[in-house]
Amino acid sequence: AQTVTQSQPEMSVQEAETVTLSCTYDTSESDYYLFWYKQPPSRQMILVIRQEAYKQQNATENRFSVNFQKAAKSFSLKISDSQLGDAAMYFCAYRSATTPSGAHYRDNYGQNFVFGPGTRLSVLP
Amino acid sequence: DTAVSQTPKYLVTQMGNDKSIKCEQNLGHDTMYWYKQDSKKFLKIMFSYNNKELIINETVPNRFSPKSPDKAHLNLHINSLELGDSAVYFCASSQGWTSGRRNEQFFGPGTRLTVL
């Protein structure tokens, strides 16, 4: 069964500094997707960055980048030049690339979309 | 021009009642989802649905049922509400099950359900 672990329940960073949020996952699948979502106090879930497992190149979106280590099953998020608006809960998420068909997929459906427990990031002025 | 909208944003009700949460997406997506986020912020998928197929997380009680009048809507009905149903419920949509390589899910703003 797929699992996602975020070992840091809370993190803080000084404004303009860099912070790295860790995420590790466990899966026996070879093809999958990984995501980082941000949930500010407004509760809205916002996609920050995505990574396809078949791509070796680390994804980058402006100040956000990931360090994807497939063999180590690690997917950390780096936020550069932190801003006050970056303060939020950050969730690492795993999604299976299995095409939905058959009893096996249905029986294990809950394992095909898995979110980590989240890391609360505070940004200090 | 909201992409995924949910109503209501807040819902307070008594145990035993039946309630519905509505979700609409204007992105032209084929697949919609319902997630539950509990008080500890754990997010768990409940359902996925496109116009052909409903897939249910087997851990979801059958008091919960999704209903889709059309491709742009996936409403969540909950019968005989229990205290443990209190949570934030998120609707989401995506282009397909695994269409292309994007798989991005767009989330609605969430509905905070409180059962008294």
Side-chain angles (χ1 to χ4, degrees):
Chain A
Q2 283 75 251
T3 59
V4 176
T5 302
Q6 293 176 249
S7 60
Q8 306 148 318
E10 295 185 0
M11 291 279 286
S12 62
V13 62
Q14 209 70 35
E15 200 176 359
E17 297 293 310
T18 295
V19 64
T20 298
L21 308 183
S22 67
C23 172
T24 57
Y25 59 95
D26 192 20
T27 183
S28 59
E29 298 181 327
S30 58
D31 196 14
Y32 49 87
Y33 311 95
L34 296 166
F35 306 87
W36 278 98
Y37 282 91
K38 168 185 175 181
Q39 186 178 39
S42 66
R43 208 172 62 203
Q44 182 76 46
M45 291 289 288
I46 303 164
L47 178 67
V48 174
I49 200 164
R50 75 174 75 82
Q51 176 81 41
E52 292 93 337
Y54 73 92
K55 285 188 177 176
Q56 292 185 344
Q57 186 174 7
N58 289 325
T60 299
E61 290 283 345
N62 300 315
R63 298 182 295 108
F64 298 88
S65 62
V66 299
N67 183 5
F68 174 48
Q69 302 288 330
K70 191 172 183 180
K73 295 179 183 171
S74 170
F75 183 62
S76 60
L77 174 70
K78 186 171 84 170
I79 307 174
S80 304
D81 185 26
S82 297
Q83 300 174 0
L84 294 178
D86 295 335
M89 282 287 287
Y90 285 82
F91 293 95
C92 178
Y94 171 102
R95 176 173 175 154
S96 172
T98 304
T99 301
S101 64
H104 177 76
Y105 184 92
R106 292 173 178 274
D107 291 347
N108 296 279
Y109 183 58
Q111 298 303 314
N112 287 288
F113 303 78
V114 182
F115 280 75
T119 296
R120 184 177 300 281
L121 178 67
S122 301
V123 180
L124 309 173
Chain B
D1 60 347
T2 304
V4 183
S5 59
Q6 293 178 231
T7 53
K9 284 200 167 65
Y10 298 92
L11 181 56
V12 181
T13 187
Q14 299 286 331
M15 273 176 60
N17 283 349
D18 302 338
K19 289 293 178 186
S20 295
I21 305 172
K22 295 185 177 180
C23 177
E24 176 182 2
Q25 54 96 3
N26 63 5
L27 298 166
H29 286 167
D30 288 329
T31 307
M32 297 181 74
Y33 311 80
W34 277 103
Y35 286 84
K36 177 181 179 181
Q37 186 177 38
D38 63 23
S39 59
K40 295 183 179 177
K41 302 291 188 185
F42 285 110
L43 266 162
K44 182 186 267 192
I45 189 158
M46 301 174 73
F47 309 99
S48 294
Y49 185 80
N50 66 16
N51 55 8
K52 297 175 185 174
E53 193 172 13
L54 168 68
I55 300 185
I56 302 170
N57 185 335
E58 67 280 3
T59 65
V60 175
N62 58 15
R63 297 182 294 104
F64 291 78
S65 58
K67 288 191 172 45
S68 180
D70 55 60
K71 200 171 84 163
H73 296 83
L74 184 66
N75 303 326
L76 180 64
H77 296 265
I78 316 170
N79 295 326
S80 303
L81 278 156
E82 300 177 358
L83 293 177
D85 297 334
S86 295
V88 179
Y89 292 84
F90 286 96
C91 176
S93 73
S94 68
Q95 198 166 17
W97 294 110
T98 55
S99 62
R101 287 290 182 178
R102 293 186 60 81
N103 264 291
E104 178 178 346
Q105 292 183 346
F106 292 81
F107 282 79
T111 296
R112 182 179 293 282
L113 170 66
T114 303
V115 182
L116 304 175

